[in-house]
Amino acid sequence: MSSDPHGAGPRRPAATLPDPAGYVIEIDDEAVGLVTTHPQGMAFHAVHTRAQALDGQVFADAAAARSAAESAFYGWSAQQA
């Protein structure tokens, strides 16, 4: 088993790591927002000015949040997306 080079002990295999409670959404290498688990899906927390309108919205899943973030980031309307 491999160990952390800084002496922190053995690393857990990736298969045993817990599912993340949230995801960073990046578009064109810029962090746009963070989605975190919510009872109704994923809550969006804006970190980029282009995504401020989405702050606090809850989406069905991370993919829906990313789609909305892309629309906001690029200035697409719902009809263009």
Side-chain angles (χ1 to χ4, degrees):
M1 181 175 274
S2 61
S3 293
D4 184 322
H6 301 289
R11 291 183 288 173
R12 293 193 294 178
T16 65
L17 294 175
D19 288 334
Y23 301 91
V24 174
I25 295 177
E26 291 184 348
I27 300 172
D28 292 343
D29 295 325
E30 288 192 57
V32 175
L34 171 72
V35 288
T36 58
T37 56
H38 183 277
Q40 284 80 40
M42 300 297 281
F44 188 89
H45 307 279
V47 297
H48 194 286
T49 56
R50 292 184 187 176
Q52 286 301 312
L54 302 176
D55 194 56
Q57 290 188 33
V58 177
F59 295 90
D61 53 33
R66 179 174 176 78
S67 179
E70 286 177 341
S71 293
F73 187 82
Y74 292 121
W76 298 335
S77 70
Q79 295 155 343
Q80 293 172 313

